[in-house]
Structures are given as structure tokens and as C-alpha cells.
Amino acid sequence: MFTSVGSADFKQHINLSIYAYEIIQNDIRSFMEKPSQSGFFNKIIEEYQDYADASISSALARKRESLDLLLASIPDSQEKKKVVDKLVGQHERELRERIASYPKGKYMKFRLNKRNFSILFEEKCPEEKYYDSQGKYIKAIVEEYARNSPLKREEIFFGSRLSDIQSYINSGLLVKVKTRKGWTYEVKPYDIRVDASGLYHYLVGIATSPADPDSKPRIASFRVSLLSSVSSRPKSYRSGKVTQCEAEQIEKQIQKKGVQFLLGDTEEITVKLDELGKKMFSSQLHLRPTPDRIEEDGLYCFSCTQSQIIYYFFKFGAHAEILGPERLREKFAQQYLDATRIYDDYTKNE
């Protein structure tokens, strides 16, 4: 049975497994512009509580509903009810066993916001039937969250934002976004896409910069987790509907550049790979640009953004040489030079 009275200052203590603790610390840094342990836990409770299997009452209701749909063609009877009850009971036992299996490891404390405090301490919570305390219920939610894939965790944490963006797309509303770097864009939203590696969600559309009235609309993508804010403009302001022609152009650019590099300008880029570099190129698929042609002497020619070349080829070191454009070659040379300076004392001693 949950305790009826919580801390006067809304303090809450939980003991997470080491696995969940490390995931949470990483996600706090990745998902939050201003990292806050309390803010993170409150956000997870708000976004995930209704969908998590840790909310056993909700999970059992979903299970019963799915079974009723599955068995809809069978006439109702006492026997049918017994079968459904038995399967739901089995699901409950499995959920309880999973929750009991989460180990202790790291003691953490944070403050619940007023909304979560009210739900957990001041109102009748259906989960008190399954947990000894609010802390154990919160732990179960967080442990389950941590065992999702990085993409799913991003989807959970930014659930409200993703839902808002989808509603703007459906309504044809223009969207105003602000990045963590302080840049503001107005976007005709086209779709929410996931990069080829399945790591992040991106808002894809046609963007203009209000700060530069002369800027031309351009196809762009914005990583949802790196936006400071997302809001819609009223319909009377300007239409945010993407035309069929614009949609076709966007799809072509996604195929050519990859969804995460849409905002950058495409350039003709030439890279020379040695034998090991060729093997690395064949085996390392993450962010790999598609070559327009490959020549016999190890020359790989691309039409893509400089960012994609930097992200992909920088780790190749001496096994990939940027031949052009010159400014990209200089950028690689300078970054490698800056890196070697860290080890000046070591190389001099050698």
C-alpha cells in the first residue's frame, strides 16, 4: 500500500541498478539542454507512466483488450472468460517477476514536481495494489525505460514534442523551431524520420530563417532531441502545407544525402583510400556516404555534404586522404595537427 503522505518538499528516493543508472546519466546529458536529475525523472514519469508495463493495472487492461479482440469471433461464455482471466493472470505474474528482478545498485534522490506528487501521493493511484511504495513504482518505470533502445528512449522522453510535431504536419501548420545553438527557423513540416542507423528522430521539411528575409527556402532536417523549442504558427500567418512537388524534392534529397545531413550543401568531394581504407569503407556502414563512382587507383568521388565526410572519414586517419575541395582538405589537416599537439611531449621523447 502506498504511503498517504509524502515529503513536504517533494523529495523522493530510489535505488537503481547500475545498468539503469549509467543509461540515465547518459540520457540526461544527451536529451537535456540544461541537465537536471529531478527534471529528467519527472519527465520520464510524465511521458512513460501511462504506457510502461511497470504500470501493471494499465498493462493488464491492454492485455485483456488485446485478448478480447483476438477472441472476438468466439461467442462469450464462462469458459471464454476463464481462459482470458487465466492469460491475464499469467501476464500479471510475469510482470511482477520482471519488476522483482531489477537489482539495487545506486541510491538516488530527486524532487517530484507538483503534478507527479499529486498523482502519486494525493490521489488514488491504481498501482498501489502492486507496489509497497511510490519509490518502488518509480524505480520500475525508470528501469523499464532504461532497457529500451536509444531510439525508443528518445521517443519516450520527447513523446509530447513528437506528438505536437505530428499534429502540426497533419494540420498543415508552419512550425517555428529554435536550436540549442540559438538559431531560429520557420519550417514547413513534411515528416518525422529516423536516420538509417536507427539512432535519432528528425523533423524534415522546408526551412527559412526569419533573421534573414532574403534567405531562400531550403530542404532541411532538425534532430528533435537537439531543439530548444518547437511551436506552431497560426494558419492565418502562412501555410505550412508541403506541396506534392516539394515532397518529391525532399524524398530525393533524403535518398541522396541521408536524413541527418539535409541542411548542408552538397559538394563534389574526392577521397583517396589505401588498401586498409578500402576495407574500412566496405565494413563500416554507419553514416557511410554513397560514392558516385570508384576509380581503380583508390579514388572515391562523392556528392554529399562536408559534414558527412567529416563524421565518417575522420576516424580513418592516414588511410583516407581528402583531395578536394581544398577547404575540406585544410580542415582535416588542421584537426589532425591540433590532435597531434596533445602528444608533442611524447613524440619528442621518442
Side-chain angles (χ1 to χ4, degrees):
M1 178 71 70
F2 281 177
T3 56
S4 58
V5 180
S7 171
D9 57 3
F10 300 172
K11 285 183 180 179
Q12 181 63 55
H13 302 165
I14 58 175
N15 193 309
L16 292 180
S17 65
I18 296 299
Y19 176 84
Y21 172 80
E22 291 176 349
I23 292 289
I24 295 307
Q25 296 307 307
N26 176 76
D27 286 1
I28 288 174
R29 293 189 297 269
S30 299
F31 293 163
M32 304 187 77
E33 187 172 7
K34 296 179 180 179
S36 163
Q37 190 164 279
S38 293
F40 183 86
F41 282 124
N42 280 291
K43 182 72 169 172
I44 295 304
I45 295 170
E46 291 173 358
E47 296 286 356
Y48 199 38
Q49 182 180 16
D50 292 341
Y51 310 101
D53 284 343
S55 296
I56 297 177
S57 61
S58 298
L60 296 182
R62 290 193 296 270
K63 182 68 173 179
R64 187 175 293 276
E65 183 179 0
S66 68
L67 289 170
D68 287 341
L69 288 172
L70 183 65
L71 303 174
S73 61
I74 301 175
D76 290 340
S77 66
Q78 280 298 112
E79 190 63 30
K80 176 181 174 180
K81 183 178 183 303
K82 287 180 181 179
V83 170
V84 171
D85 288 344
K86 185 173 182 179
L87 291 172
V88 171
Q90 179 182 338
H91 189 52
E92 179 182 339
R93 288 191 294 274
E94 291 170 352
L95 293 179
R96 286 178 177 270
E97 288 172 4
R98 184 199 305 174
I99 291 164
S101 72
Y102 297 138
K104 293 182 178 180
K106 191 73 175 180
Y107 181 79
M108 304 183 74
K109 59 183 178 180
F110 64 98
R111 282 184 172 85
L112 289 165
N113 60 28
K114 290 184 179 179
R115 177 184 180 277
N116 287 330
F117 183 84
S118 177
I119 291 172
L120 293 171
F121 284 92
E122 297 179 338
E123 300 174 11
K124 180 72 173 177
C125 180
E127 303 312 315
E128 66 181 44
K129 176 181 177 182
Y130 304 102
Y131 294 92
D132 296 334
S133 67
Q134 289 90 338
K136 289 184 179 180
Y137 175 40
I138 295 170
K139 171 184 168 67
I141 292 174
V142 176
E143 293 281 356
E144 182 179 334
Y145 163 86
R147 283 159 176 77
N148 282 289
S149 68
L151 183 70
K152 182 63 178 178
R153 296 200 308 273
E154 183 186 67
E155 180 184 324
I156 292 168
F157 189 86
F158 293 98
S160 296
R161 177 176 290 180
L162 289 166
S163 178
D164 288 344
I165 291 172
Q166 190 59 57
S167 71
Y168 302 152
I169 294 170
N170 296 341
S171 303
L173 295 176
L174 194 70
V175 177
K176 179 182 177 182
V177 301
K178 184 177 181 181
T179 71
R180 289 190 186 179
K181 293 182 178 180
W183 300 334
T184 300
Y185 296 89
E186 289 181 343
V187 184
K188 291 174 68 175
Y190 170 63
D191 201 3
I192 298 170
R193 291 290 177 90
V194 174
D195 61 89
S197 299
L199 295 176
Y200 305 108
H201 295 82
Y202 291 84
L203 164 61
V204 179
I206 298 176
T208 55
S209 172
D212 182 8
D214 297 326
S215 63
K216 294 181 179 180
R218 59 190 304 182
I219 295 170
S221 63
F222 303 89
R223 188 170 137 190
V224 172
S225 57
L226 293 182
L227 294 175
S228 291
S229 63
V230 180
S231 59
S232 66
R233 295 289 198 181
K235 280 190 175 181
S236 58
Y237 179 80
R238 191 166 71 248
S239 173
K241 188 73 174 177
V242 172
T243 67
Q244 181 62 37
C245 180
E246 290 170 334
E248 291 173 358
Q249 293 174 353
I250 291 172
E251 289 293 347
K252 287 180 181 178
Q253 288 300 305
I254 291 174
Q255 290 296 318
K256 187 177 183 66
K257 296 181 179 180
V259 70
Q260 62 270 63
F261 300 111
L262 292 180
L263 194 56
D265 293 321
T266 299
E267 299 183 54
E268 298 297 321
I269 299 172
T270 306
V271 182
K272 184 177 179 61
L273 301 179
D274 62 16
E275 290 305 314
L276 181 54
K278 293 176 187 177
K279 291 179 181 178
M280 293 170 70
F281 186 82
S282 296
S283 62
Q284 299 185 25
L285 304 181
H286 180 53
L287 299 182
R288 185 176 70 184
T290 302
D292 292 335
R293 66 182 187 279
I294 301 174
E295 300 180 2
E296 292 183 358
D297 56 356
L299 290 181
Y300 286 63
C301 302
F302 304 91
S303 295
C304 62
T305 65
Q306 287 195 16
S307 294
Q308 189 169 6
I309 294 296
I310 292 170
Y311 287 136
Y312 183 76
F313 280 112
F314 192 77
K315 62 181 176 291
F316 281 47
H319 306 295
E321 180 185 1
I322 309 301
L323 299 182
E326 186 65 25
R327 62 183 177 281
L328 182 59
R329 180 179 173 87
E330 291 174 356
K331 188 177 293 186
F332 266 75
Q334 187 61 54
Q335 289 190 33
Y336 285 131
L337 183 61
D338 291 342
T340 57
R341 285 181 181 139
I342 299 174
Y343 303 99
D344 273 351
D345 292 342
Y346 177 80
T347 54
K348 287 175 182 177
N349 291 335
E350 288 292 311

